[in-house]
Structure formats: structure tokens, C-alpha cells
Amino acid sequence: MINGLRVIIAIFVFSISVYLVYDLFANGFNLYILGASLLGFVAVHYIWPRKHPDDASWFDALEIVFDLPYRALAFTLRSIGRAVHKPDIDIDL
């Protein structure tokens, strides 16, 4: 019961986030809309239930689609973090 409600809420938040990304391209860039869409994708990652019946393959397919924007965002931020925080090169003369 609770997992079904969490799935419905996650689908709703994901749909709003996708619309906000569309709105960024259709009506011009707005930093607040960008932040709201990214926050929505992060929220979907945490709202989506982790435990589910093993016989529901559609559940796994939806989880991959809904988690993809979060994983892309996390990968981008980690890559930027690695580029900014390069280890110091120690050269002895």
C-alpha cells in the first residue's frame, strides 16, 4: 500500500520535473525553474521505494527511467568535483 503511494507520488514529481525542463527550452532560461527541476529529480530518487515484488519487471523498468536524471546529475557533479580538487603534484628538485 505504502509502496504504491510512493510510486504514484514519484511519477507525479517526475512528470512535473520533466515539464519544467521542457519549460526551460520553450520559454527561456530561468534559474529558479532549473533549480526546481533538479530538486524534483533528486526528490524522485529518494521517494521511489527500494523494496518491491520480485515478479514486477515493469517496476524495474520504471525505476531505471526515473533514476536516470539523478544518476546523470550525480555523475556530472562528481566529475566536476574531481576536476576541481586535483591532487597536488609534489616535485622534488
Side-chain angles (χ1 to χ4, degrees), residues 52-89:
H52 58 84
D54 293 332
D55 59 347
S57 61
W58 65 271
F59 202 83
D60 293 332
L62 279 179
E63 184 176 8
I64 290 170
V65 170
F66 287 171
D67 208 30
L68 186 64
Y70 174 80
R71 291 185 184 270
L73 178 65
F75 175 76
T76 303
L77 292 177
R78 287 182 189 130
S79 298
I80 291 171
R82 273 188 241 119
V84 170
H85 297 290
K86 291 182 181 176
D88 292 341
I89 299 173

Side-chain angles (χ1 to χ4, degrees), residues 20-76:
L20 290 176
V21 169
Y22 165 76
D23 189 54
L24 282 173
F25 290 105
N27 295 326
F29 182 78
N30 187 341
L31 192 60
Y32 295 118
I33 293 177
L34 176 66
S37 65
L38 293 177
L39 185 66
F41 289 131
V42 170
V44 167
H45 174 75
Y46 288 108
I47 292 171
W48 191 264
R50 297 293 168 227
K51 304 286 184 188
H52 58 84
D54 293 332
D55 59 347
S57 61
W58 65 271
F59 202 83
D60 293 332
L62 279 179
E63 184 176 8
I64 290 170
V65 170
F66 287 171
D67 208 30
L68 186 64
Y70 174 80
R71 291 185 184 270
L73 178 65
F75 175 76
T76 303

